[in-house]
Amino acid sequence: MRRAASTHTASLRPSGELSTSLSKSSLSRRLNFESLAVTLDSPLTTLVYPSSQLKFRGKGQVIMRHRKARISQKRPDPTSFPRVTIGSLPENILLDIFDIYRTSCIIPPSYLWWHVLVHVCGRWRYIVFQSPLRLHLRLQCNANTPVKKTLNVWPRSIPIVIQESRSRLPLSGANIIAALKHHDRVSEIILYTTSTVLKRLYKVMKKPYPVLTHLRIHISNSKSVPVLRDTFLGGSAPRLESLSLVGVPFPALPKFLPSCHDLVSVVLAEIPNTGYHSPEAMATALSVLTKLKEVSIGFESPASRPDPTNRPPSLLTRIVLPSLTSLWFFGASEYFEDLVARIDTPAILSVDTRFFNQLDFDMPNFLQFISRTQIPGSFEEAKLYFYYDRAVFIHFGHRDLPGGKEFRSALDIRISCHALDWQVACVAQICGKFSPFLSNVERLLIATDSLDYKRTTDVVFSDWKDYVDNPQWLEIFHAFSALQHMRIPPRLGEIIASALQELTGERVMDALPMLHHLYLPPPSASTQQTIQPFISSRQRSNHPVTVHLTEMD
């Protein structure tokens, strides 16, 4: 009997005694701290907890420091640590262990991690249920959850998370509706659904949700979407931290937002015309959200333009958003102009704008807004992407750091336009307007269709040279006075090389005076022949340019 007992691992009882009712594989499965596996070869195994490390000691010893585990077969001096039975650990230490398990748990879905602990013993169940906030306990409900049975089993102190994808949600949404009726317990609502189902859900979402912290509703089709009125969520959500509405019209949003003092993220995408709200109303609504870090506003169509008779005055008192670090916008440039004229964002790090067809880039408020931020302080790199028959994308930022772990400020501008001459004209205007912020840019990458992946034929790109004048390319190059490295894509190689032919003779230093390295990966014979006059002129002027037939590092 003794030998048989030694082959089992131990389970815990509130009295602190160890039993052998669980197998090794069972306990290892129930208490999985990443690579942590507890090996118990004796029913007298003890747990040692000095300061920040956990040591389960039997024949093998497991040491955990900051959620990383290692195995040591060397037995330490038995007198070096105090010896206690695992069942006599105080609650605060067990809570620390449970919290480590929560953050390390790999059992999907993550909301179910605590089910393992409450089935170990009565004491653990009691401790877990007494600390729902500390341990971030959640009950997940979806379209297949028998809500009545589930909610009757677990304590009411555990908040409810309602999460469902569009692929599984039945048209009736009966279980989701049943869960939504527990409005005083719902902490998160994450729904990817259709307008038909949203109509049914909206009827039960008119009461306040006092503990709601995250709300995300994504409509997969934009036909006949119900308009959310000021009765939605009872008109307020005082504990809401994250709001994301995609394809959902909510014209009463400017009245709703001021009640959400804890908001950190606001994402409003694919806003239908029925959900339009003016830049003035939006800026006023955001003004009280001092914790706000991320704002995304995107409209469904170019029709979402502000009233031209209600433009902001030049001496407007601006609203300060002290914590905002990221601003994303997709829509008409007139709306964005009015919005940024009304706000200041001293902590902003990233601005990403996407405009509908924009032939005349005259946006003084945008330029002034950027100049009031820390974004353009030290741009090091520029990227110009020409997407055939779709759009042009411009990025001003910093060279990627190794590992990509540090976020650095950036400005992104995307404009929907089709013909290359429009795209080049837009880039020339933007680079000219932003030239004061580009004085430190040393690297320029020009690309087509996601770094030249062959989505279109080379024949199409070769035809572009007939539609773009060389002076437009030179306008772009004039904005980069400190440029040292430039990458030219194969499909635009001959077009840009032809423009550089203008920089010969007396004009050789009119543009790109600091250019030292030109990357052509790989150029055609005609491109090399076309660009040779420019290379020769720079050589004669004692400002040589080295041509690399490789990608830019």
Side-chain angles (χ1 to χ4, degrees):
M1 292 296 292
R2 178 174 297 178
R3 183 172 182 179
S6 66
T7 61
H8 288 71
T9 53
S11 65
L12 306 178
R13 294 177 178 174
S15 62
E17 298 175 355
L18 294 169
S19 73
T20 57
S21 60
L22 298 177
S23 66
K24 284 183 180 180
S25 61
S26 175
L27 186 58
S28 177
R29 184 171 63 252
R30 291 189 176 195
L31 297 177
N32 185 355
F33 294 83
E34 291 184 349
S35 61
L36 177 64
V38 182
T39 303
L40 304 178
D41 290 304
S42 167
L44 297 179
T45 296
T46 60
L47 179 145
V48 181
Y49 186 81
S51 64
S52 63
Q53 62 189 24
L54 302 176
K55 299 177 183 251
F56 288 86
R57 193 165 63 234
K59 271 192 174 180
Q61 177 188 6
V62 176
I63 301 174
M64 173 177 289
R65 287 190 179 92
H66 306 296
R67 297 170 55 186
K68 293 185 179 294
R70 64 183 176 87
I71 304 295
S72 173
Q73 295 296 331
K74 184 177 179 181
R75 182 184 294 274
D77 182 0
T79 63
S80 60
F81 299 110
R83 300 172 65 85
V84 295
T85 59
I86 195 169
S88 64
L89 288 176
E91 291 186 8
N92 62 323
I93 292 179
L94 284 175
L95 282 173
D96 287 342
I97 297 173
F98 296 164
D99 209 30
I100 292 173
Y101 175 60
R102 176 183 66 83
T103 57
S104 306
C105 187
I106 60 174
I107 301 176
S110 60
Y111 294 109
L112 301 180
W113 68 270
W114 54 270
H115 286 208
V116 175
L117 300 181
V118 300
H119 284 90
V120 172
C121 66
R123 184 179 180 228
W124 283 25
R125 176 186 290 252
Y126 173 80
I127 293 173
V128 168
F129 288 157
Q130 285 296 109
S131 307
L133 297 180
R134 161 71 188 276
L135 297 177
H136 303 279
L137 302 187
R138 297 293 185 270
L139 276 174
Q140 184 183 24
C141 294
N142 56 39
N144 297 325
T145 303
V147 174
K148 293 183 178 180
K149 293 181 180 179
T150 300
L151 299 186
N152 288 336
V153 171
W154 305 112
R156 289 184 55 82
S157 59
I158 303 178
I160 299 172
V161 172
I162 300 174
Q163 185 174 21
E164 190 53 85
S165 66
R166 72 186 74 151
S167 60
R168 297 173 55 195
L169 187 57
L171 289 178
S172 64
N175 285 327
I176 298 296
I177 291 175
L180 286 171
K181 290 181 178 180
H182 295 265
H183 56 90
D184 58 334
R185 296 180 58 187
V186 176
S187 66
E188 298 181 38
I189 301 175
I190 303 172
L191 297 174
Y192 293 79
T193 184
T194 63
S195 58
T196 303
V197 176
L198 182 60
K199 290 178 182 179
R200 295 187 175 95
L201 302 182
Y202 177 43
K203 294 178 181 179
V204 297
M205 297 181 69
K206 297 181 180 181
K207 291 185 178 181
Y209 284 72
V211 298
L212 185 65
T213 58
H214 295 80
L215 174 63
R216 183 188 307 165
I217 302 178
H218 188 144
I219 300 299
S220 58
N221 63 332
S222 58
K223 295 181 179 179
S224 303
V225 180
V227 176
L228 303 185
R229 304 298 179 184
D230 52 9
T231 56
F232 181 63
L233 301 182
S236 66
R239 295 185 58 183
L240 196 64
E241 299 175 7
S242 174
L243 172 65
S244 177
L245 301 176
V246 179
V248 180
F250 192 9
L253 183 72
K255 296 181 180 179
F256 174 80
L257 286 179
S259 71
C260 311
H261 297 284
D262 292 334
L263 265 177
V264 175
S265 172
V266 174
V267 177
L268 309 171
E270 301 176 21
I271 303 173
N273 292 338
T274 53
Y276 177 84
H277 28 71
S278 69
E280 180 181 10
M282 177 56 68
T284 303
L286 297 177
S287 64
V288 298
L289 306 179
T290 57
K291 299 179 182 179
L292 196 61
K293 293 184 178 181
E294 174 192 6
V295 171
S296 298
I297 302 174
F299 292 95
E300 193 176 50
S301 76
S304 54
R305 285 181 165 86
D307 183 356
T309 63
N310 189 28
R311 305 304 295 270
S314 57
L315 299 178
L316 179 70
T317 301
R318 291 185 293 270
I319 294 166
V320 179
L321 302 177
S323 302
L324 193 69
T325 59
S326 175
L327 176 61
W328 181 91
F329 178 82
F330 179 39
S333 61
E334 295 90 340
Y335 189 103
F336 190 71
E337 269 282 275
D338 278 14
L339 180 63
V340 297
R342 303 174 187 275
I343 61 175
D344 270 339
T345 55
I348 197 80
L349 292 175
S350 173
V351 175
D352 188 343
T353 61
R354 304 185 181 195
F355 302 119
F356 294 109
N357 292 346
Q358 185 82 22
L359 300 182
D360 184 13
F361 193 86
D362 184 20
M363 300 181 67
N365 292 336
F366 186 14
L367 293 172
Q368 293 174 19
F369 168 74
I370 293 297
S371 67
R372 298 193 301 268
T373 71
Q374 59 180 321
I375 289 179
S378 57
F379 284 153
E380 302 167 344
E381 185 175 69
K383 298 179 181 180
L384 310 177
Y385 296 91
F386 296 91
Y387 295 95
Y388 176 75
D389 203 31
R390 286 181 294 160
V392 60
F393 173 73
I394 304 168
H395 169 83
F396 300 135
H398 302 267
R399 189 176 181 183
D400 295 336
L401 298 179
K405 294 182 179 180
E406 182 179 344
F407 182 82
R408 309 183 73 179
S409 56
L411 171 63
D412 296 316
I413 302 172
R414 180 183 177 119
I415 299 176
S416 300
C417 52
H418 302 283
L420 180 64
D421 56 343
W422 289 7
Q423 294 182 9
V424 175
C426 288
V427 173
Q429 288 187 64
I430 292 171
C431 289
K433 299 289 185 179
F434 283 91
S435 58
F437 308 138
L438 307 179
S439 58
N440 294 323
V441 172
E442 297 181 352
R443 299 166 58 85
L444 173 62
L445 182 147
I446 305 175
T448 59
D449 280 340
S450 299
L451 293 178
D452 303 327
Y453 292 150
K454 291 193 174 182
R455 296 186 68 259
T456 54
T457 65
D458 292 331
V459 175
V460 172
F461 280 92
S462 65
D463 290 342
W464 278 5
K465 64 178 180 292
D466 299 328
Y467 298 97
V468 182
D469 295 331
N470 290 340
Q472 290 184 319
W473 288 106
L474 296 182
E475 284 182 43
I476 296 174
F477 299 147
H478 277 298
F480 300 98
S481 58
L483 195 69
Q484 298 183 23
H485 303 261
M486 182 167 72
R487 187 261 193 195
I488 298 177
R491 290 175 178 161
L492 295 180
E494 190 170 350
I495 300 174
I496 297 177
S498 176
L500 292 176
Q501 276 189 334
E502 303 283 337
L503 301 177
T504 57
E506 296 181 355
R507 300 187 58 194
V508 67
M509 301 303 291
D510 282 0
L512 305 175
M514 303 296 292
L515 184 67
H516 298 309
H517 300 277
L518 191 61
Y519 298 83
L520 304 172
S524 64
S526 59
T527 298
Q528 295 186 64
Q529 182 179 359
T530 305
I531 205 170
Q532 190 56 45
F534 169 72
I535 301 300
S536 300
S537 295
R538 291 296 293 261
Q539 185 73 30
R540 290 191 297 270
S541 67
N542 293 323
H543 293 85
V545 174
T546 303
V547 176
H548 304 268
L549 305 183
T550 60
E551 286 288 356
M552 185 167 62
D553 294 334

